[in-house]
Amino acid sequence: MPTVACPDCATTNRVPETRLNDNPRCGRCGTALFQGAPVVLTANNFERHATAELPLLVDFWAAWCGPCKVMAPQFDAASRMLEPRFRLGKMDTEAEADIASRFGIRGIPTMILFKAGKEIARTSGVMSAADIVRWASAQAGRAGKLPYRGTSRAAFAARIAARFRANGARQCGESRGR
Ligand SMILES: [Zn+2]
């Protein structure tokens, strides 16, 4: 039974796999566990989300980073496609500099995929929603989690990708670990 952290109170909830699609709510505060949007991660809730069994995909970003702004709506769209198989979260590398430094974030945007407290994979640079979905699904699949499959969502992802190709921005700073 996967564990999922509440986007509001960060309480760890156990949700049967078969109930993930039934709009499950937090047993403590009643908030919907999935809201079709990334959770804002801070030092207060990061551990709970990262140690949950539901894979956590984190976008490390900063307000001064142009490519991060380009990627933000793509990441939002990806959260609507990847939930409830994944939790998506945003980490402001300025506000949470300690966490960014703990994970050696150099170039942003950088995405890291966590599962049950472990880093599974990371990648740097702007990605379209479709590519985010593909990348996260492939990495999680490699780590033993079935990727999300859905034809209508794939078509939606392709539309987003087509729109995204118009944009040339890529990445701020130096990337690492490529
Ligand atoms: Zn809650």
Side-chain angles (χ1 to χ4, degrees):
M1 205 186 293
T3 52
V4 184
C6 172
D8 190 34
C9 73
T11 293
T12 303
N13 286 259
R14 290 196 163 276
V15 182
E17 195 109 27
T18 51
R19 297 287 319 281
L20 281 173
N21 283 305
D22 299 343
N23 192 25
R25 292 185 171 271
C26 175
R28 181 170 176 227
C29 73
T31 298
L33 291 177
F34 298 103
Q35 306 191 345
V39 172
V40 175
L41 297 171
T42 66
N44 292 326
N45 67 2
F46 172 68
E47 297 295 339
R48 289 289 186 87
H49 286 281
T51 55
E53 284 153 28
L54 198 77
L56 170 71
L57 180 63
V58 182
D59 173 21
F60 289 85
W61 68 285
W64 49 262
C65 160
C68 296
K69 282 186 191 129
V70 171
M71 182 152 131
Q74 301 296 321
F75 196 73
D76 288 351
S79 73
R80 292 191 287 277
M81 293 185 272
L82 287 168
E83 286 186 355
R85 297 289 150 196
F86 291 78
R87 163 71 74 217
L88 273 68
K90 308 238 341 157
M91 184 73 77
D92 181 339
T93 55
E94 300 259 279
E96 305 296 339
D98 288 351
I99 295 175
S101 124
R102 177 174 146 200
F103 289 100
I105 304 297
R106 297 280 170 79
I108 50 174
T110 286
M111 286 190 302
I112 300 184
L113 182 63
F114 297 92
K115 193 183 174 203
K118 283 190 194 137
E119 175 177 339
I120 291 174
R122 72 168 64 190
T123 185
S124 294
V126 175
M127 277 191 186
S128 68
D131 286 343
I132 293 168
V133 168
R134 258 193 299 274
W135 182 81
S137 300
Q139 300 302 326
R142 226 168 271 163
K145 175 94 188 166
L146 284 176
Y148 188 86
R149 289 194 177 87
T151 49
S152 61
R153 288 180 187 226
F156 174 57
R159 276 206 305 281
I160 299 252
R163 219 176 300 159
F164 183 80
R165 273 194 286 276
N167 207 311
R170 281 289 143 200
Q171 189 190 351
C172 278
E174 293 170 13
S175 66
R176 132 194 178 119
R178 280 215 255 199

